[in-house]
Amino acid sequence: MKQLKTLLLATALCIGTVSFSSAQSKIAHINTQELITAMPEMKMAQKELETSSKKYQTDIQAAVTEFQTLLKQYEAEAATKSEEENAKRGQEIQEKQQRIQQFQADAQKDLQKKELDLLQPITEKAKAAILKVGRAQGFDYVLDASQGVTILADGKNLLDDVKKELGI
């Protein structure tokens, strides 16, 4: 009888341990920033953004050079012009300066929008690959190690598996 109680107790403990261990979540981690940086789409997006940025810089520099030339010309001719003409020319200079500032602001907004438009599909592709690999390997949670989060668990790093999924 005592052996039967011991056997039942041991069986209950085994069942409880198995149930408890299967109830624990499987956790993995990945550095999404490193993944996205390694993606070929990201490299192409960066080149496209650099090209656009250089074009805007060239256009802005040309406008500034033109403005400086105009300003020097007005300053050189100011003594020979009437007050009314100088006031009109001063107004033209202010308007040109405001147009340059507005162009700079518009260029910055355009670059930010373009960056968002280019990065969104890349991050979505990375997220889909992470989910696919994580689910295929039976993980309940995949933590992002790129956000300054310290990973204390010994969960698996999915970076190599996701890179393989993406063909990188």
mmCIF file of all heavy atoms in Angstrom, residues 29-68:
data_model
loop_
_atom_site.group_PDB
_atom_site.id
_atom_site.type_symbol
_atom_site.label_atom_id
_atom_site.label_comp_id
_atom_site.label_asym_id
_atom_site.label_seq_id
_atom_site.Cartn_x
_atom_site.Cartn_y
_atom_site.Cartn_z
ATOM 1 N N HIS A 29 15.354 35.602 -29.624
ATOM 2 C CA HIS A 29 15.642 37.028 -29.785
ATOM 3 C C HIS A 29 16.326 37.260 -31.124
ATOM 4 O O HIS A 29 16.877 36.340 -31.734
ATOM 5 C CB HIS A 29 16.508 37.550 -28.639
ATOM 6 C CG HIS A 29 17.832 36.868 -28.510
ATOM 7 N ND1 HIS A 29 18.953 37.295 -29.170
ATOM 8 C CD2 HIS A 29 18.193 35.780 -27.808
ATOM 9 C CE1 HIS A 29 19.969 36.504 -28.872
ATOM 10 N NE2 HIS A 29 19.539 35.567 -28.049
ATOM 11 N N ILE A 30 16.257 38.503 -31.578
ATOM 12 C CA ILE A 30 16.888 38.887 -32.850
ATOM 13 C C ILE A 30 17.191 40.377 -32.805
ATOM 14 O O ILE A 30 16.453 41.152 -32.190
ATOM 15 C CB ILE A 30 15.976 38.549 -34.055
ATOM 16 C CG1 ILE A 30 16.718 38.779 -35.372
ATOM 17 C CG2 ILE A 30 14.690 39.341 -34.002
ATOM 18 C CD1 ILE A 30 16.012 38.197 -36.574
ATOM 19 N N ASN A 31 18.262 40.762 -33.438
ATOM 20 C CA ASN A 31 18.611 42.176 -33.571
ATOM 21 C C ASN A 31 18.052 42.635 -34.914
ATOM 22 O O ASN A 31 18.663 42.435 -35.962
ATOM 23 C CB ASN A 31 20.129 42.346 -33.512
ATOM 24 C CG ASN A 31 20.542 43.804 -33.512
ATOM 25 O OD1 ASN A 31 19.875 44.646 -34.091
ATOM 26 N ND2 ASN A 31 21.657 44.089 -32.871
ATOM 27 N N THR A 32 16.866 43.233 -34.897
ATOM 28 C CA THR A 32 16.207 43.616 -36.143
ATOM 29 C C THR A 32 16.977 44.696 -36.888
ATOM 30 O O THR A 32 16.954 44.730 -38.114
ATOM 31 C CB THR A 32 14.762 44.096 -35.900
ATOM 32 O OG1 THR A 32 14.768 45.161 -34.967
ATOM 33 C CG2 THR A 32 13.886 42.977 -35.414
ATOM 34 N N GLN A 33 17.654 45.565 -36.152
ATOM 35 C CA GLN A 33 18.439 46.611 -36.803
ATOM 36 C C GLN A 33 19.554 45.988 -37.644
ATOM 37 O O GLN A 33 19.780 46.393 -38.781
ATOM 38 C CB GLN A 33 19.031 47.555 -35.750
ATOM 39 C CG GLN A 33 19.557 48.840 -36.324
ATOM 40 C CD GLN A 33 18.463 49.685 -36.939
ATOM 41 O OE1 GLN A 33 17.347 49.765 -36.433
ATOM 42 N NE2 GLN A 33 18.757 50.311 -38.058
ATOM 43 N N GLU A 34 20.220 45.000 -37.094
ATOM 44 C CA GLU A 34 21.280 44.300 -37.829
ATOM 45 C C GLU A 34 20.698 43.566 -39.041
ATOM 46 O O GLU A 34 21.292 43.559 -40.120
ATOM 47 C CB GLU A 34 21.990 43.322 -36.892
ATOM 48 C CG GLU A 34 23.194 42.649 -37.485
ATOM 49 C CD GLU A 34 23.893 41.725 -36.497
ATOM 50 O OE1 GLU A 34 23.756 41.900 -35.273
ATOM 51 O OE2 GLU A 34 24.584 40.807 -36.982
ATOM 52 N N LEU A 35 19.531 42.959 -38.857
ATOM 53 C CA LEU A 35 18.875 42.250 -39.953
ATOM 54 C C LEU A 35 18.528 43.207 -41.086
ATOM 55 O O LEU A 35 18.857 42.965 -42.251
ATOM 56 C CB LEU A 35 17.607 41.544 -39.457
ATOM 57 C CG LEU A 35 16.730 40.907 -40.536
ATOM 58 C CD1 LEU A 35 17.452 39.729 -41.174
ATOM 59 C CD2 LEU A 35 15.399 40.490 -39.958
ATOM 60 N N ILE A 36 17.877 44.305 -40.751
ATOM 61 C CA ILE A 36 17.444 45.270 -41.771
ATOM 62 C C ILE A 36 18.646 45.881 -42.478
ATOM 63 O O ILE A 36 18.626 46.073 -43.694
ATOM 64 C CB ILE A 36 16.527 46.335 -41.138
ATOM 65 C CG1 ILE A 36 15.180 45.700 -40.773
ATOM 66 C CG2 ILE A 36 16.318 47.511 -42.072
ATOM 67 C CD1 ILE A 36 14.254 46.569 -39.965
ATOM 68 N N THR A 37 19.700 46.166 -41.740
ATOM 69 C CA THR A 37 20.910 46.724 -42.341
ATOM 70 C C THR A 37 21.532 45.747 -43.337
ATOM 71 O O THR A 37 22.097 46.168 -44.344
ATOM 72 C CB THR A 37 21.936 47.074 -41.245
ATOM 73 O OG1 THR A 37 21.329 47.994 -40.328
ATOM 74 C CG2 THR A 37 23.178 47.712 -41.817
ATOM 75 N N ALA A 38 21.411 44.462 -43.090
ATOM 76 C CA ALA A 38 22.002 43.439 -43.966
ATOM 77 C C ALA A 38 21.152 43.160 -45.204
ATOM 78 O O ALA A 38 21.642 42.532 -46.149
ATOM 79 C CB ALA A 38 22.206 42.151 -43.183
ATOM 80 N N MET A 39 19.927 43.617 -45.216
ATOM 81 C CA MET A 39 19.031 43.321 -46.341
ATOM 82 C C MET A 39 19.454 44.127 -47.577
ATOM 83 O O MET A 39 19.727 45.317 -47.482
ATOM 84 C CB MET A 39 17.583 43.634 -45.973
ATOM 85 C CG MET A 39 17.025 42.715 -44.902
ATOM 86 S SD MET A 39 15.386 43.194 -44.325
ATOM 87 C CE MET A 39 14.397 42.840 -45.760
ATOM 88 N N PRO A 40 19.495 43.495 -48.762
ATOM 89 C CA PRO A 40 19.880 44.217 -49.985
ATOM 90 C C PRO A 40 18.932 45.378 -50.296
ATOM 91 O O PRO A 40 19.359 46.405 -50.829
ATOM 92 C CB PRO A 40 19.805 43.155 -51.084
ATOM 93 C CG PRO A 40 19.613 41.853 -50.422
ATOM 94 C CD PRO A 40 19.241 42.091 -49.003
ATOM 95 N N GLU A 41 17.654 45.221 -49.960
ATOM 96 C CA GLU A 41 16.690 46.290 -50.194
ATOM 97 C C GLU A 41 17.064 47.552 -49.426
ATOM 98 O O GLU A 41 16.860 48.672 -49.895
ATOM 99 C CB GLU A 41 15.271 45.854 -49.784
ATOM 100 C CG GLU A 41 14.702 44.727 -50.597
ATOM 101 C CD GLU A 41 14.970 43.358 -49.980
ATOM 102 O OE1 GLU A 41 15.950 43.215 -49.215
ATOM 103 O OE2 GLU A 41 14.202 42.430 -50.277
ATOM 104 N N MET A 42 17.625 47.359 -48.232
ATOM 105 C CA MET A 42 18.019 48.498 -47.415
ATOM 106 C C MET A 42 19.192 49.233 -48.056
ATOM 107 O O MET A 42 19.230 50.463 -48.054
ATOM 108 C CB MET A 42 18.377 48.029 -45.998
ATOM 109 C CG MET A 42 18.742 49.150 -45.071
ATOM 110 S SD MET A 42 17.336 50.267 -44.859
ATOM 111 C CE MET A 42 17.985 51.348 -43.627
ATOM 112 N N LYS A 43 20.120 48.478 -48.596
ATOM 113 C CA LYS A 43 21.272 49.105 -49.252
ATOM 114 C C LYS A 43 20.823 49.907 -50.467
ATOM 115 O O LYS A 43 21.320 51.010 -50.711
ATOM 116 C CB LYS A 43 22.298 48.041 -49.624
ATOM 117 C CG LYS A 43 22.934 47.417 -48.392
ATOM 118 C CD LYS A 43 23.824 46.249 -48.709
ATOM 119 C CE LYS A 43 24.341 45.690 -47.381
ATOM 120 N NZ LYS A 43 24.801 44.348 -47.454
ATOM 121 N N MET A 44 19.866 49.373 -51.221
ATOM 122 C CA MET A 44 19.345 50.107 -52.374
ATOM 123 C C MET A 44 18.589 51.353 -51.925
ATOM 124 O O MET A 44 18.703 52.415 -52.543
ATOM 125 C CB MET A 44 18.440 49.202 -53.213
ATOM 126 C CG MET A 44 19.193 48.102 -53.921
ATOM 127 S SD MET A 44 18.253 47.067 -55.081
ATOM 128 C CE MET A 44 16.636 46.936 -54.371
ATOM 129 N N ALA A 45 17.826 51.240 -50.855
ATOM 130 C CA ALA A 45 17.082 52.387 -50.333
ATOM 131 C C ALA A 45 18.040 53.478 -49.862
ATOM 132 O O ALA A 45 17.801 54.674 -50.109
ATOM 133 C CB ALA A 45 16.170 51.949 -49.188
ATOM 134 N N GLN A 46 19.121 53.087 -49.202
ATOM 135 C CA GLN A 46 20.096 54.072 -48.745
ATOM 136 C C GLN A 46 20.737 54.795 -49.921
ATOM 137 O O GLN A 46 20.932 56.008 -49.880
ATOM 138 C CB GLN A 46 21.174 53.397 -47.891
ATOM 139 C CG GLN A 46 20.691 53.024 -46.507
ATOM 140 C CD GLN A 46 21.728 52.248 -45.710
ATOM 141 O OE1 GLN A 46 22.545 51.525 -46.260
ATOM 142 N NE2 GLN A 46 21.671 52.390 -44.397
ATOM 143 N N LYS A 47 21.055 54.049 -50.994
ATOM 144 C CA LYS A 47 21.630 54.689 -52.184
ATOM 145 C C LYS A 47 20.650 55.677 -52.795
ATOM 146 O O LYS A 47 21.026 56.770 -53.209
ATOM 147 C CB LYS A 47 22.026 53.628 -53.211
ATOM 148 C CG LYS A 47 23.270 52.857 -52.847
ATOM 149 C CD LYS A 47 23.610 51.824 -53.903
ATOM 150 C CE LYS A 47 24.812 51.000 -53.474
ATOM 151 N NZ LYS A 47 25.112 49.928 -54.443
ATOM 152 N N GLU A 48 19.391 55.287 -52.857
ATOM 153 C CA GLU A 48 18.370 56.167 -53.427
ATOM 154 C C GLU A 48 18.208 57.433 -52.581
ATOM 155 O O GLU A 48 18.091 58.541 -53.113
ATOM 156 C CB GLU A 48 17.045 55.413 -53.534
ATOM 157 C CG GLU A 48 16.000 56.136 -54.346
ATOM 158 C CD GLU A 48 14.755 55.309 -54.593
ATOM 159 O OE1 GLU A 48 14.844 54.068 -54.659
ATOM 160 O OE2 GLU A 48 13.680 55.929 -54.723
ATOM 161 N N LEU A 49 18.217 57.267 -51.265
ATOM 162 C CA LEU A 49 18.112 58.432 -50.383
ATOM 163 C C LEU A 49 19.341 59.343 -50.511
ATOM 164 O O LEU A 49 19.206 60.572 -50.516
ATOM 165 C CB LEU A 49 17.943 57.994 -48.931
ATOM 166 C CG LEU A 49 16.573 57.454 -48.562
ATOM 167 C CD1 LEU A 49 16.604 56.830 -47.164
ATOM 168 C CD2 LEU A 49 15.521 58.543 -48.636
ATOM 169 N N GLU A 50 20.514 58.747 -50.628
ATOM 170 C CA GLU A 50 21.731 59.546 -50.812
ATOM 171 C C GLU A 50 21.683 60.329 -52.115
ATOM 172 O O GLU A 50 22.057 61.503 -52.158
ATOM 173 C CB GLU A 50 22.971 58.649 -50.799
ATOM 174 C CG GLU A 50 23.370 58.162 -49.434
ATOM 175 C CD GLU A 50 24.559 57.216 -49.465
ATOM 176 O OE1 GLU A 50 25.368 57.281 -50.414
ATOM 177 O OE2 GLU A 50 24.672 56.409 -48.518
ATOM 178 N N THR A 51 21.205 59.691 -53.177
ATOM 179 C CA THR A 51 21.097 60.357 -54.474
ATOM 180 C C THR A 51 20.139 61.542 -54.388
ATOM 181 O O THR A 51 20.455 62.642 -54.858
ATOM 182 C CB THR A 51 20.611 59.362 -55.555
ATOM 183 O OG1 THR A 51 21.525 58.272 -55.621
ATOM 184 C CG2 THR A 51 20.509 60.022 -56.913
ATOM 185 N N SER A 52 18.988 61.331 -53.777
ATOM 186 C CA SER A 52 18.008 62.413 -53.621
ATOM 187 C C SER A 52 18.575 63.537 -52.757
ATOM 188 O O SER A 52 18.407 64.721 -53.071
ATOM 189 C CB SER A 52 16.717 61.893 -53.001
ATOM 190 O OG SER A 52 16.097 60.979 -53.843
ATOM 191 N N SER A 53 19.249 63.167 -51.701
ATOM 192 C CA SER A 53 19.826 64.163 -50.795
ATOM 193 C C SER A 53 20.882 65.002 -51.509
ATOM 194 O O SER A 53 20.916 66.229 -51.363
ATOM 195 C CB SER A 53 20.439 63.466 -49.578
ATOM 196 O OG SER A 53 21.033 64.405 -48.719
ATOM 197 N N LYS A 54 21.732 64.337 -52.291
ATOM 198 C CA LYS A 54 22.766 65.073 -53.034
ATOM 199 C C LYS A 54 22.147 66.013 -54.050
ATOM 200 O O LYS A 54 22.635 67.130 -54.251
ATOM 201 C CB LYS A 54 23.718 64.093 -53.720
ATOM 202 C CG LYS A 54 24.679 63.421 -52.760
ATOM 203 C CD LYS A 54 25.588 62.443 -53.469
ATOM 204 C CE LYS A 54 26.484 61.731 -52.468
ATOM 205 N NZ LYS A 54 27.334 60.725 -53.118
ATOM 206 N N LYS A 55 21.062 65.575 -54.696
ATOM 207 C CA LYS A 55 20.388 66.443 -55.673
ATOM 208 C C LYS A 55 19.830 67.685 -54.984
ATOM 209 O O LYS A 55 19.992 68.800 -55.475
ATOM 210 C CB LYS A 55 19.274 65.692 -56.390
ATOM 211 C CG LYS A 55 18.593 66.554 -57.446
ATOM 212 C CD LYS A 55 17.520 65.834 -58.175
ATOM 213 C CE LYS A 55 16.809 66.658 -59.219
ATOM 214 N NZ LYS A 55 16.860 68.082 -59.132
ATOM 215 N N TYR A 56 19.178 67.480 -53.851
ATOM 216 C CA TYR A 56 18.648 68.633 -53.112
ATOM 217 C C TYR A 56 19.784 69.552 -52.665
ATOM 218 O O TYR A 56 19.671 70.773 -52.750
ATOM 219 C CB TYR A 56 17.829 68.180 -51.899
ATOM 220 C CG TYR A 56 16.427 67.745 -52.245
ATOM 221 C CD1 TYR A 56 15.949 66.503 -51.854
ATOM 222 C CD2 TYR A 56 15.558 68.577 -52.941
ATOM 223 C CE1 TYR A 56 14.646 66.099 -52.157
ATOM 224 C CE2 TYR A 56 14.272 68.187 -53.254
ATOM 225 C CZ TYR A 56 13.824 66.944 -52.864
ATOM 226 O OH TYR A 56 12.542 66.548 -53.172
ATOM 227 N N GLN A 57 20.886 68.966 -52.182
ATOM 228 C CA GLN A 57 22.017 69.781 -51.732
ATOM 229 C C GLN A 57 22.570 70.609 -52.883
ATOM 230 O O GLN A 57 22.898 71.780 -52.715
ATOM 231 C CB GLN A 57 23.128 68.889 -51.147
ATOM 232 C CG GLN A 57 22.857 68.417 -49.751
ATOM 233 C CD GLN A 57 22.690 69.564 -48.763
ATOM 234 O OE1 GLN A 57 21.594 69.807 -48.282
ATOM 235 N NE2 GLN A 57 23.757 70.263 -48.488
ATOM 236 N N THR A 58 22.668 69.991 -54.060
ATOM 237 C CA THR A 58 23.169 70.703 -55.241
ATOM 238 C C THR A 58 22.235 71.850 -55.603
ATOM 239 O O THR A 58 22.685 72.972 -55.879
ATOM 240 C CB THR A 58 23.299 69.726 -56.434
ATOM 241 O OG1 THR A 58 24.161 68.660 -56.060
ATOM 242 C CG2 THR A 58 23.848 70.418 -57.662
ATOM 243 N N ASP A 59 20.933 71.585 -55.602
ATOM 244 C CA ASP A 59 19.952 72.621 -55.928
ATOM 245 C C ASP A 59 19.992 73.762 -54.911
ATOM 246 O O ASP A 59 19.936 74.938 -55.277
ATOM 247 C CB ASP A 59 18.537 72.032 -55.991
ATOM 248 C CG ASP A 59 18.346 71.067 -57.160
ATOM 249 O OD1 ASP A 59 19.216 71.028 -58.058
ATOM 250 O OD2 ASP A 59 17.327 70.342 -57.158
ATOM 251 N N ILE A 60 20.088 73.403 -53.641
ATOM 252 C CA ILE A 60 20.133 74.430 -52.587
ATOM 253 C C ILE A 60 21.408 75.253 -52.717
ATOM 254 O O ILE A 60 21.376 76.487 -52.620
ATOM 255 C CB ILE A 60 20.019 73.786 -51.193
ATOM 256 C CG1 ILE A 60 18.605 73.233 -50.983
ATOM 257 C CG2 ILE A 60 20.377 74.778 -50.091
ATOM 258 C CD1 ILE A 60 18.435 72.350 -49.763
ATOM 259 N N GLN A 61 22.538 74.576 -52.955
ATOM 260 C CA GLN A 61 23.807 75.292 -53.087
ATOM 261 C C GLN A 61 23.770 76.249 -54.279
ATOM 262 O O GLN A 61 24.271 77.359 -54.201
ATOM 263 C CB GLN A 61 24.975 74.314 -53.217
ATOM 264 C CG GLN A 61 26.330 74.971 -53.146
ATOM 265 C CD GLN A 61 26.542 75.740 -51.851
ATOM 266 O OE1 GLN A 61 26.223 75.266 -50.771
ATOM 267 N NE2 GLN A 61 27.068 76.944 -51.960
ATOM 268 N N ALA A 62 23.167 75.806 -55.378
ATOM 269 C CA ALA A 62 23.043 76.675 -56.558
ATOM 270 C C ALA A 62 22.194 77.895 -56.234
ATOM 271 O O ALA A 62 22.537 79.027 -56.630
ATOM 272 C CB ALA A 62 22.440 75.891 -57.723
ATOM 273 N N ALA A 63 21.106 77.698 -55.518
ATOM 274 C CA ALA A 63 20.239 78.820 -55.144
ATOM 275 C C ALA A 63 20.966 79.782 -54.201
ATOM 276 O O ALA A 63 20.830 81.009 -54.333
ATOM 277 C CB ALA A 63 18.956 78.309 -54.501
ATOM 278 N N VAL A 64 21.736 79.247 -53.263
ATOM 279 C CA VAL A 64 22.483 80.089 -52.322
ATOM 280 C C VAL A 64 23.553 80.881 -53.070
ATOM 281 O O VAL A 64 23.743 82.083 -52.811
ATOM 282 C CB VAL A 64 23.103 79.237 -51.187
ATOM 283 C CG1 VAL A 64 24.115 80.024 -50.385
ATOM 284 C CG2 VAL A 64 22.004 78.703 -50.273
ATOM 285 N N THR A 65 24.245 80.241 -53.992
ATOM 286 C CA THR A 65 25.269 80.932 -54.787
ATOM 287 C C THR A 65 24.643 82.056 -55.596
ATOM 288 O O THR A 65 25.178 83.175 -55.649
ATOM 289 C CB THR A 65 25.991 79.933 -55.719
ATOM 290 O OG1 THR A 65 26.549 78.890 -54.921
ATOM 291 C CG2 THR A 65 27.080 80.606 -56.520
ATOM 292 N N GLU A 66 23.510 81.769 -56.216
ATOM 293 C CA GLU A 66 22.794 82.791 -56.988
ATOM 294 C C GLU A 66 22.364 83.943 -56.076
ATOM 295 O O GLU A 66 22.491 85.122 -56.443
ATOM 296 C CB GLU A 66 21.567 82.159 -57.655
ATOM 297 C CG GLU A 66 20.754 83.109 -58.505
ATOM 298 C CD GLU A 66 19.505 82.456 -59.078
ATOM 299 O OE1 GLU A 66 19.552 81.249 -59.387
ATOM 300 O OE2 GLU A 66 18.489 83.168 -59.213
ATOM 301 N N PHE A 67 21.891 83.608 -54.886
ATOM 302 C CA PHE A 67 21.480 84.627 -53.914
ATOM 303 C C PHE A 67 22.669 85.499 -53.509
ATOM 304 O O PHE A 67 22.559 86.727 -53.452
ATOM 305 C CB PHE A 67 20.866 83.947 -52.683
ATOM 306 C CG PHE A 67 20.574 84.877 -51.552
ATOM 307 C CD1 PHE A 67 19.489 85.727 -51.592
ATOM 308 C CD2 PHE A 67 21.411 84.927 -50.442
ATOM 309 C CE1 PHE A 67 19.215 86.602 -50.545
ATOM 310 C CE2 PHE A 67 21.151 85.793 -49.392
ATOM 311 C CZ PHE A 67 20.055 86.623 -49.447
ATOM 312 N N GLN A 68 23.812 84.870 -53.240
ATOM 313 C CA GLN A 68 24.998 85.630 -52.827
ATOM 314 C C GLN A 68 25.490 86.545 -53.944
ATOM 315 O O GLN A 68 25.879 87.687 -53.692
ATOM 316 C CB GLN A 68 26.111 84.675 -52.398
ATOM 317 C CG GLN A 68 25.812 83.982 -51.087
ATOM 318 C CD GLN A 68 26.816 82.887 -50.744
ATOM 319 O OE1 GLN A 68 27.535 82.397 -51.608
ATOM 320 N NE2 GLN A 68 26.832 82.496 -49.472
#
